[in-house]
Amino acid sequence: MNADLISAALRGCDMARAGRIRSRAARTIRGMRRPFIGGNWKMNTDHASARSLAHAIAEGTGADWAADVVVFPPFPYLLPVAEAIAGSPVALGAQDLSGEVNGARTGEVSAEMLRDVGASWVIVGHSERRHTIGESEALIADKLSMALGSGLRAVLCVGETRAERDAGKAHDIIAAQLRSALAAIDAAAMDDVVIAYEPVWAIGTGITAQPADAGEAHREIRSALAARYDARLASGVRVVYGGSLVPATAKSIFAVDGVDGGLVGGASLKAHDFLALCTAATVGVAAS
Ligand code: PGA
């Protein structure tokens, strides 16, 4: 393997750790939740465009950026993206991981491998993995435990389908997804979890949830967290929104009380739009 790439990845990892310590300190001092914004590139980009997108995002974020900014490229581009963001405040995340440690799992990628190439975050329970690929609640719970137990931070996605919402079951579905995923996660590990409320009907459809609906879902998520843990923990966990976020819709979503940022798909593939969303999250979340 290319030694320069590996050392760049490790530098990225150190940056991520330093950012993590700073972010906890900032939260403690101000008693506020630090905004989080993630770019989920899904199965998009190629080697060259992944590098240039990562470079542009790294260049657009200053040293004292007041939000956690994380990019989630496809597996093959983790190392080149680690190199491109090294020395910037942008952290590296993966879109998935195995629930197993290692061994005979053809095609799978372990938590240790992700850490080895400089990833500090991973997405767990994305609706495309739940509904298109068919991951079970049990597998999602295993993946979350594996991520946190291996020192990765996780974005746990929850959200209802259109049919579930129309049947008035949205809140029950979200609460059940949280109960199942968090059953084996203790309170201390929740420092390393961001919850993403991603209504399935809003993902990739161009339909952003109404701010009031997003606000209601976020309140439900916090009350489910309070029931599982306690009110203090529930008010400290970051809960972000995902689903057709674009600069034009972000302002009203980020202004909602309890929305701490976003997980962005389509708009994260354009540096200009993603950076506008990062700025909106920093400004909007701080003001809400
Ligand atoms: P979208 O995707 O912004 O393209 O709707 C969001 C996500 O899937 O995380």
Side-chain angles (χ1 to χ4, degrees):
M1 250 191 276
N2 180 324
D4 287 339
L5 286 186
I6 291 173
S7 61
L10 291 173
R11 279 199 305 280
C13 192
D14 289 340
M15 286 298 298
R17 287 213 184 97
R20 197 156 147 179
I21 291 160
R22 269 200 310 275
S23 97
R24 280 190 190 152
R27 243 186 310 170
T28 317
I29 291 161
R30 301 199 313 265
M32 278 172 58
R33 297 182 300 265
R34 182 175 165 90
F36 171 97
I37 187 110
N40 176 10
W41 297 359
K42 308 194 181 183
M43 200 165 69
N44 294 299
T45 67
D46 57 20
H47 190 175
S49 61
R51 282 182 68 97
S52 62
L53 179 57
H55 264 300
I57 293 166
E59 268 167 22
T61 46
D64 289 325
W65 199 259
D68 284 347
V69 177
V70 188
V71 290
F72 297 88
F75 287 138
Y77 308 133
L78 284 168
L79 267 177
V81 168
E83 185 188 47
I85 61 177
S88 83
V90 181
L92 183 67
Q95 297 173 20
D96 187 29
L97 81 166
S98 171
E100 302 292 325
V101 177
N102 60 11
R105 290 287 187 284
T106 302
E108 293 281 88
V109 176
S110 74
E112 274 312 311
M113 293 171 186
L114 297 179
R115 283 177 44 97
D116 196 27
V117 295
S120 49
W121 287 86
V122 66
I123 296 173
V124 177
H126 191 280
S127 73
E128 285 149 17
R129 299 209 64 87
R130 289 178 188 268
H131 298 293
T132 311
I133 293 162
E135 288 191 1
S136 66
E137 297 282 4
L139 180 57
I140 290 164
D142 283 350
K143 288 184 173 193
L144 185 62
S145 292
M146 179 59 67
L148 298 173
S150 306
L152 289 167
R153 307 182 86 186
V155 180
L156 171 65
C157 303
V158 296
E160 80 287 357
T161 63
R162 168 55 71 192
E164 289 162 347
R165 168 157 284 262
D166 290 347
K169 291 186 186 153
H171 296 162
D172 291 347
I173 294 291
I174 294 166
Q177 289 172 343
L178 287 171
R179 253 195 321 275
S180 164
L182 300 178
I185 307 301
D186 63 23
M190 289 302 289
D191 253 1
D192 291 332
V193 177
V194 166
I195 310 281
Y197 169 57
E198 296 212 312
V200 181
W201 46 270
I203 295 177
T205 58
I207 304 166
T208 315
Q210 290 302 312
D213 291 338
E216 206 183 321
H218 280 237
R219 276 193 296 283
E220 282 302 319
I221 288 169
R222 283 194 208 284
S223 69
L225 292 174
R228 167 68 182 87
Y229 302 99
D230 56 53
R232 193 162 164 273
L233 183 144
S235 72
V237 172
R238 288 176 292 179
V239 185
V240 303
Y241 168 84
S244 296
L245 267 178
V246 289
T249 53
K251 204 170 158 211
S252 57
I253 293 278
F254 292 158
V256 174
D257 194 28
V259 175
D260 300 318
L263 185 60
V264 187
S268 71
L269 296 170
K270 291 184 201 125
H272 179 268
D273 285 359
F274 185 64
L275 287 167
L277 285 164
C278 292
T279 304
T282 308
V283 175
V285 171
S288 68

